[in-house]
mmCIF file of all heavy atoms in Angstrom:
data_model
loop_
_atom_site.group_PDB
_atom_site.id
_atom_site.type_symbol
_atom_site.label_atom_id
_atom_site.label_comp_id
_atom_site.label_asym_id
_atom_site.label_seq_id
_atom_site.Cartn_x
_atom_site.Cartn_y
_atom_site.Cartn_z
ATOM 1 N N LYS A 846 -11.834 -0.232 -14.436
ATOM 2 C CA LYS A 846 -12.631 -1.205 -13.700
ATOM 3 C C LYS A 846 -13.442 -2.064 -14.659
ATOM 4 O O LYS A 846 -13.833 -1.605 -15.729
ATOM 5 C CB LYS A 846 -13.586 -0.478 -12.744
ATOM 6 C CG LYS A 846 -12.902 0.473 -11.784
ATOM 7 C CD LYS A 846 -13.928 1.260 -10.983
ATOM 8 C CE LYS A 846 -13.254 2.226 -10.039
ATOM 9 N NZ LYS A 846 -14.240 3.010 -9.262
ATOM 10 N N PRO A 847 -13.741 -3.321 -14.278
ATOM 11 C CA PRO A 847 -14.549 -4.183 -15.151
ATOM 12 C C PRO A 847 -15.899 -3.571 -15.523
ATOM 13 O O PRO A 847 -16.383 -3.796 -16.642
ATOM 14 C CB PRO A 847 -14.733 -5.452 -14.319
ATOM 15 C CG PRO A 847 -13.520 -5.495 -13.448
ATOM 16 C CD PRO A 847 -13.236 -4.062 -13.105
ATOM 17 N N GLU A 848 -16.505 -2.814 -14.616
ATOM 18 C CA GLU A 848 -17.792 -2.185 -14.881
ATOM 19 C C GLU A 848 -17.724 -1.142 -15.994
ATOM 20 O O GLU A 848 -18.766 -0.715 -16.488
ATOM 21 C CB GLU A 848 -18.330 -1.497 -13.623
ATOM 22 C CG GLU A 848 -18.254 -2.324 -12.351
ATOM 23 C CD GLU A 848 -16.936 -2.141 -11.637
ATOM 24 O OE1 GLU A 848 -16.781 -1.135 -10.911
ATOM 25 O OE2 GLU A 848 -16.058 -3.013 -11.787
ATOM 26 N N GLU A 849 -16.518 -0.752 -16.378
ATOM 27 C CA GLU A 849 -16.350 0.244 -17.435
ATOM 28 C C GLU A 849 -16.174 -0.378 -18.813
ATOM 29 O O GLU A 849 -15.894 0.338 -19.776
ATOM 30 C CB GLU A 849 -15.185 1.168 -17.081
ATOM 31 C CG GLU A 849 -15.532 2.018 -15.868
ATOM 32 C CD GLU A 849 -14.392 2.827 -15.307
ATOM 33 O OE1 GLU A 849 -13.249 2.305 -15.231
ATOM 34 O OE2 GLU A 849 -14.639 3.989 -14.933
ATOM 35 N N THR A 850 -16.349 -1.688 -18.897
ATOM 36 C CA THR A 850 -16.426 -2.341 -20.198
ATOM 37 C C THR A 850 -17.619 -1.778 -20.961
ATOM 38 O O THR A 850 -18.742 -1.795 -20.468
ATOM 39 C CB THR A 850 -16.574 -3.859 -20.033
ATOM 40 O OG1 THR A 850 -15.373 -4.404 -19.481
ATOM 41 C CG2 THR A 850 -16.851 -4.531 -21.370
ATOM 42 N N ALA A 851 -17.368 -1.258 -22.154
ATOM 43 C CA ALA A 851 -18.415 -0.580 -22.912
ATOM 44 C C ALA A 851 -17.905 -0.233 -24.300
ATOM 45 O O ALA A 851 -16.710 -0.334 -24.583
ATOM 46 C CB ALA A 851 -18.847 0.702 -22.196
ATOM 47 N N ILE A 852 -18.832 0.164 -25.155
ATOM 48 C CA ILE A 852 -18.452 0.806 -26.400
ATOM 49 C C ILE A 852 -18.339 2.297 -26.112
ATOM 50 O O ILE A 852 -19.266 2.896 -25.563
ATOM 51 C CB ILE A 852 -19.475 0.557 -27.520
ATOM 52 C CG1 ILE A 852 -19.632 -0.940 -27.775
ATOM 53 C CG2 ILE A 852 -19.043 1.261 -28.801
ATOM 54 C CD1 ILE A 852 -20.732 -1.279 -28.765
ATOM 55 N N TYR A 853 -17.217 2.881 -26.474
ATOM 56 C CA TYR A 853 -16.968 4.292 -26.244
ATOM 57 C C TYR A 853 -17.143 5.050 -27.557
ATOM 58 O O TYR A 853 -16.523 4.708 -28.569
ATOM 59 C CB TYR A 853 -15.566 4.510 -25.684
ATOM 60 C CG TYR A 853 -15.452 4.127 -24.225
ATOM 61 C CD1 TYR A 853 -15.544 2.799 -23.833
ATOM 62 C CD2 TYR A 853 -15.270 5.094 -23.242
ATOM 63 C CE1 TYR A 853 -15.471 2.445 -22.496
ATOM 64 C CE2 TYR A 853 -15.183 4.744 -21.903
ATOM 65 C CZ TYR A 853 -15.284 3.419 -21.534
ATOM 66 O OH TYR A 853 -15.200 3.078 -20.206
ATOM 67 N N PHE A 854 -17.996 6.081 -27.543
ATOM 68 C CA PHE A 854 -18.332 6.851 -28.727
ATOM 69 C C PHE A 854 -17.784 8.271 -28.631
ATOM 70 O O PHE A 854 -18.036 8.967 -27.649
ATOM 71 C CB PHE A 854 -19.850 6.943 -28.910
ATOM 72 C CG PHE A 854 -20.530 5.629 -29.155
ATOM 73 C CD1 PHE A 854 -21.038 4.890 -28.110
ATOM 74 C CD2 PHE A 854 -20.667 5.140 -30.446
ATOM 75 C CE1 PHE A 854 -21.673 3.682 -28.324
ATOM 76 C CE2 PHE A 854 -21.305 3.933 -30.683
ATOM 77 C CZ PHE A 854 -21.804 3.204 -29.619
ATOM 78 N N CYS A 855 -17.077 8.694 -29.652
ATOM 79 C CA CYS A 855 -16.662 10.084 -29.758
ATOM 80 C C CYS A 855 -17.856 10.942 -30.167
ATOM 81 O O CYS A 855 -18.674 10.526 -30.988
ATOM 82 C CB CYS A 855 -15.543 10.212 -30.787
ATOM 83 S SG CYS A 855 -14.882 11.880 -30.983
ATOM 84 N N ASN A 856 -17.940 12.134 -29.605
ATOM 85 C CA ASN A 856 -19.014 13.074 -29.921
ATOM 86 C C ASN A 856 -18.440 14.465 -30.129
ATOM 87 O O ASN A 856 -17.598 14.910 -29.352
ATOM 88 C CB ASN A 856 -20.049 13.092 -28.790
ATOM 89 C CG ASN A 856 -21.108 14.156 -28.984
ATOM 90 O OD1 ASN A 856 -20.987 15.270 -28.477
ATOM 91 N ND2 ASN A 856 -22.155 13.809 -29.725
ATOM 92 N N VAL A 857 -18.899 15.128 -31.184
ATOM 93 C CA VAL A 857 -18.491 16.501 -31.474
ATOM 94 C C VAL A 857 -19.723 17.379 -31.556
ATOM 95 O O VAL A 857 -20.707 17.018 -32.212
ATOM 96 C CB VAL A 857 -17.692 16.588 -32.787
ATOM 97 C CG1 VAL A 857 -17.522 18.034 -33.228
ATOM 98 C CG2 VAL A 857 -16.336 15.924 -32.626
ATOM 99 N N LYS A 858 -19.669 18.515 -30.911
ATOM 100 C CA LYS A 858 -20.720 19.528 -31.012
ATOM 101 C C LYS A 858 -20.152 20.692 -31.813
ATOM 102 O O LYS A 858 -19.190 21.330 -31.393
ATOM 103 C CB LYS A 858 -21.162 19.980 -29.629
ATOM 104 C CG LYS A 858 -21.660 18.823 -28.773
ATOM 105 C CD LYS A 858 -22.126 19.278 -27.404
ATOM 106 C CE LYS A 858 -22.440 18.095 -26.507
ATOM 107 N NZ LYS A 858 -23.484 17.207 -27.064
ATOM 108 N N GLY A 859 -20.754 20.950 -32.976
ATOM 109 C CA GLY A 859 -20.240 21.995 -33.833
ATOM 110 C C GLY A 859 -21.152 22.272 -35.003
ATOM 111 O O GLY A 859 -22.295 21.815 -35.038
ATOM 112 N N VAL A 860 -20.629 23.027 -35.968
ATOM 113 C CA VAL A 860 -21.414 23.420 -37.137
ATOM 114 C C VAL A 860 -20.584 23.300 -38.404
ATOM 115 O O VAL A 860 -19.363 23.462 -38.389
ATOM 116 C CB VAL A 860 -21.940 24.870 -37.018
ATOM 117 C CG1 VAL A 860 -22.937 24.991 -35.875
ATOM 118 C CG2 VAL A 860 -20.787 25.851 -36.824
ATOM 119 N N THR A 861 -21.242 23.013 -39.511
ATOM 120 C CA THR A 861 -20.632 23.089 -40.829
ATOM 121 C C THR A 861 -21.029 24.374 -41.543
ATOM 122 O O THR A 861 -20.361 24.802 -42.477
ATOM 123 C CB THR A 861 -21.038 21.889 -41.701
ATOM 124 O OG1 THR A 861 -22.467 21.812 -41.776
ATOM 125 C CG2 THR A 861 -20.510 20.591 -41.089
ATOM 126 N N ASP A 862 -22.115 24.971 -41.093
ATOM 127 C CA ASP A 862 -22.629 26.230 -41.619
ATOM 128 C C ASP A 862 -22.607 27.252 -40.483
ATOM 129 O O ASP A 862 -23.265 27.044 -39.462
ATOM 130 C CB ASP A 862 -24.053 26.030 -42.137
ATOM 131 C CG ASP A 862 -24.670 27.293 -42.712
ATOM 132 O OD1 ASP A 862 -24.114 28.383 -42.525
ATOM 133 O OD2 ASP A 862 -25.739 27.175 -43.350
ATOM 134 N N PRO A 863 -21.886 28.363 -40.641
ATOM 135 C CA PRO A 863 -21.772 29.329 -39.540
ATOM 136 C C PRO A 863 -23.076 30.001 -39.156
ATOM 137 O O PRO A 863 -23.155 30.623 -38.094
ATOM 138 C CB PRO A 863 -20.755 30.352 -40.071
ATOM 139 C CG PRO A 863 -20.830 30.231 -41.558
ATOM 140 C CD PRO A 863 -21.096 28.783 -41.819
ATOM 141 N N THR A 864 -24.098 29.896 -39.993
ATOM 142 C CA THR A 864 -25.397 30.497 -39.691
ATOM 143 C C THR A 864 -26.326 29.539 -38.954
ATOM 144 O O THR A 864 -27.416 29.944 -38.534
ATOM 145 C CB THR A 864 -26.099 30.966 -40.973
ATOM 146 O OG1 THR A 864 -26.448 29.837 -41.781
ATOM 147 C CG2 THR A 864 -25.191 31.898 -41.769
ATOM 148 N N ALA A 865 -25.930 28.283 -38.803
ATOM 149 C CA ALA A 865 -26.792 27.265 -38.226
ATOM 150 C C ALA A 865 -26.535 27.067 -36.733
ATOM 151 O O ALA A 865 -25.504 27.480 -36.197
ATOM 152 C CB ALA A 865 -26.598 25.939 -38.951
ATOM 153 N N ASP A 866 -27.494 26.404 -36.076
ATOM 154 C CA ASP A 866 -27.306 26.012 -34.685
ATOM 155 C C ASP A 866 -26.365 24.819 -34.590
ATOM 156 O O ASP A 866 -26.213 24.048 -35.538
ATOM 157 C CB ASP A 866 -28.651 25.632 -34.056
ATOM 158 C CG ASP A 866 -29.581 26.806 -33.892
ATOM 159 O OD1 ASP A 866 -29.096 27.947 -33.769
ATOM 160 O OD2 ASP A 866 -30.811 26.588 -33.882
ATOM 161 N N SER A 867 -25.750 24.656 -33.429
ATOM 162 C CA SER A 867 -24.868 23.531 -33.189
ATOM 163 C C SER A 867 -25.636 22.213 -33.264
ATOM 164 O O SER A 867 -26.809 22.132 -32.898
ATOM 165 C CB SER A 867 -24.210 23.666 -31.817
ATOM 166 O OG SER A 867 -23.371 22.566 -31.547
ATOM 167 N N ARG A 868 -24.961 21.175 -33.742
ATOM 168 C CA ARG A 868 -25.525 19.841 -33.779
ATOM 169 C C ARG A 868 -24.472 18.825 -33.347
ATOM 170 O O ARG A 868 -23.290 19.149 -33.224
ATOM 171 C CB ARG A 868 -26.065 19.488 -35.163
ATOM 172 C CG ARG A 868 -25.029 19.507 -36.265
ATOM 173 C CD ARG A 868 -25.423 18.581 -37.397
ATOM 174 N NE ARG A 868 -25.312 17.186 -37.005
ATOM 175 C CZ ARG A 868 -25.607 16.157 -37.793
ATOM 176 N NH1 ARG A 868 -26.063 16.370 -39.018
ATOM 177 N NH2 ARG A 868 -25.459 14.923 -37.353
ATOM 178 N N ASP A 869 -24.910 17.590 -33.130
ATOM 179 C CA ASP A 869 -24.033 16.514 -32.690
ATOM 180 C C ASP A 869 -23.573 15.655 -33.860
ATOM 181 O O ASP A 869 -24.354 15.317 -34.746
ATOM 182 C CB ASP A 869 -24.749 15.614 -31.683
ATOM 183 C CG ASP A 869 -24.935 16.274 -30.340
ATOM 184 O OD1 ASP A 869 -23.922 16.727 -29.764
ATOM 185 O OD2 ASP A 869 -26.078 16.324 -29.858
ATOM 186 N N TYR A 870 -22.293 15.285 -33.831
ATOM 187 C CA TYR A 870 -21.711 14.331 -34.763
ATOM 188 C C TYR A 870 -21.131 13.177 -33.956
ATOM 189 O O TYR A 870 -20.577 13.384 -32.874
ATOM 190 C CB TYR A 870 -20.623 14.988 -35.608
ATOM 191 C CG TYR A 870 -21.125 16.156 -36.421
ATOM 192 C CD1 TYR A 870 -21.084 17.447 -35.914
ATOM 193 C CD2 TYR A 870 -21.657 15.960 -37.697
ATOM 194 C CE1 TYR A 870 -21.557 18.519 -36.652
ATOM 195 C CE2 TYR A 870 -22.133 17.030 -38.441
ATOM 196 C CZ TYR A 870 -22.081 18.302 -37.912
ATOM 197 O OH TYR A 870 -22.553 19.364 -38.650
ATOM 198 N N TRP A 871 -21.236 11.961 -34.502
ATOM 199 C CA TRP A 871 -20.870 10.760 -33.755
ATOM 200 C C TRP A 871 -19.866 9.894 -34.497
ATOM 201 O O TRP A 871 -19.945 9.736 -35.717
ATOM 202 C CB TRP A 871 -22.114 9.911 -33.482
ATOM 203 C CG TRP A 871 -23.090 10.569 -32.559
ATOM 204 C CD1 TRP A 871 -24.151 11.351 -32.912
ATOM 205 C CD2 TRP A 871 -23.088 10.502 -31.135
ATOM 206 N NE1 TRP A 871 -24.819 11.776 -31.785
ATOM 207 C CE2 TRP A 871 -24.187 11.270 -30.686
ATOM 208 C CE3 TRP A 871 -22.278 9.866 -30.197
ATOM 209 C CZ2 TRP A 871 -24.486 11.413 -29.331
ATOM 210 C CZ3 TRP A 871 -22.574 10.016 -28.857
ATOM 211 C CH2 TRP A 871 -23.673 10.778 -28.442
ATOM 212 N N GLY A 872 -18.934 9.308 -33.739
ATOM 213 C CA GLY A 872 -18.078 8.271 -34.268
ATOM 214 C C GLY A 872 -18.789 6.931 -34.257
ATOM 215 O O GLY A 872 -19.900 6.795 -33.729
ATOM 216 N N GLN A 873 -18.155 5.916 -34.817
ATOM 217 C CA GLN A 873 -18.746 4.586 -34.897
ATOM 218 C C GLN A 873 -18.618 3.800 -33.600
ATOM 219 O O GLN A 873 -19.312 2.804 -33.408
ATOM 220 C CB GLN A 873 -18.112 3.792 -36.045
ATOM 221 C CG GLN A 873 -18.429 4.345 -37.416
ATOM 222 C CD GLN A 873 -19.912 4.340 -37.701
ATOM 223 O OE1 GLN A 873 -20.574 3.296 -37.629
ATOM 224 N NE2 GLN A 873 -20.458 5.515 -38.013
ATOM 225 N N GLY A 874 -17.752 4.235 -32.706
ATOM 226 C CA GLY A 874 -17.547 3.573 -31.440
ATOM 227 C C GLY A 874 -16.334 2.660 -31.456
ATOM 228 O O GLY A 874 -16.009 2.063 -32.476
ATOM 229 N N THR A 875 -15.675 2.553 -30.309
ATOM 230 C CA THR A 875 -14.548 1.641 -30.145
ATOM 231 C C THR A 875 -14.749 0.840 -28.863
ATOM 232 O O THR A 875 -15.126 1.385 -27.826
ATOM 233 C CB THR A 875 -13.203 2.407 -30.135
ATOM 234 O OG1 THR A 875 -12.116 1.480 -30.060
ATOM 235 C CG2 THR A 875 -13.114 3.385 -28.976
ATOM 236 N N GLN A 876 -14.534 -0.469 -28.937
ATOM 237 C CA GLN A 876 -14.789 -1.361 -27.814
ATOM 238 C C GLN A 876 -13.657 -1.290 -26.803
ATOM 239 O O GLN A 876 -12.484 -1.412 -27.148
ATOM 240 C CB GLN A 876 -14.953 -2.803 -28.303
ATOM 241 C CG GLN A 876 -15.169 -3.824 -27.182
ATOM 242 C CD GLN A 876 -16.521 -3.697 -26.525
ATOM 243 O OE1 GLN A 876 -17.535 -3.563 -27.218
ATOM 244 N NE2 GLN A 876 -16.551 -3.727 -25.203
ATOM 245 N N VAL A 877 -14.027 -1.099 -25.532
ATOM 246 C CA VAL A 877 -13.100 -1.192 -24.412
ATOM 247 C C VAL A 877 -13.570 -2.331 -23.519
ATOM 248 O O VAL A 877 -14.704 -2.317 -23.039
ATOM 249 C CB VAL A 877 -13.028 0.123 -23.612
ATOM 250 C CG1 VAL A 877 -12.216 -0.067 -22.330
ATOM 251 C CG2 VAL A 877 -12.429 1.226 -24.463
ATOM 252 N N THR A 878 -12.704 -3.317 -23.305
ATOM 253 C CA THR A 878 -13.032 -4.458 -22.461
ATOM 254 C C THR A 878 -12.038 -4.535 -21.312
ATOM 255 O O THR A 878 -10.827 -4.616 -21.541
ATOM 256 C CB THR A 878 -13.013 -5.767 -23.262
ATOM 257 O OG1 THR A 878 -13.932 -5.683 -24.354
ATOM 258 C CG2 THR A 878 -13.390 -6.944 -22.375
ATOM 259 N N VAL A 879 -12.549 -4.501 -20.083
ATOM 260 C CA VAL A 879 -11.727 -4.564 -18.880
ATOM 261 C C VAL A 879 -12.019 -5.900 -18.201
ATOM 262 O O VAL A 879 -13.104 -6.095 -17.648
ATOM 263 C CB VAL A 879 -12.007 -3.401 -17.923
ATOM 264 C CG1 VAL A 879 -11.026 -3.430 -16.759
ATOM 265 C CG2 VAL A 879 -11.924 -2.074 -18.666
ATOM 266 N N SER A 880 -11.065 -6.811 -18.241
ATOM 267 C CA SER A 880 -11.303 -8.165 -17.755
ATOM 268 C C SER A 880 -10.004 -8.850 -17.379
ATOM 269 O O SER A 880 -8.956 -8.604 -17.977
ATOM 270 C CB SER A 880 -12.015 -8.994 -18.829
ATOM 271 O OG SER A 880 -12.204 -10.336 -18.414
ATOM 272 N N SER A 881 -10.089 -9.748 -16.371
ATOM 273 C CA SER A 881 -8.960 -10.573 -15.986
ATOM 274 C C SER A 881 -8.835 -11.802 -16.879
ATOM 275 O O SER A 881 -7.845 -12.502 -16.848
ATOM 276 C CB SER A 881 -9.104 -11.040 -14.535
ATOM 277 O OG SER A 881 -9.126 -9.956 -13.640
#
């Protein structure tokens, strides 16, 4: 739908250190444009 035009960001919840709490990692985003 046109209302879903947005930048879409990938998100990962995980750890690099097995002793640590989970944290968020983010992608740079990819543009999705819905238009006639």
Side-chain angles (χ1 to χ4, degrees):
K846 304 174 181 179
E848 313 88 81
E849 293 172 319
T850 293
I852 301 174
Y853 285 69
F854 296 92
C855 182
N856 174 266
V857 168
K858 302 181 188 301
V860 295
T861 56
D862 180 348
T864 67
D866 292 333
S867 179
R868 61 154 289 179
D869 288 305
Y870 301 91
W871 294 92
Q873 293 299 304
T875 184
Q876 178 70 45
V877 172
T878 302
V879 186
S880 177
S881 298

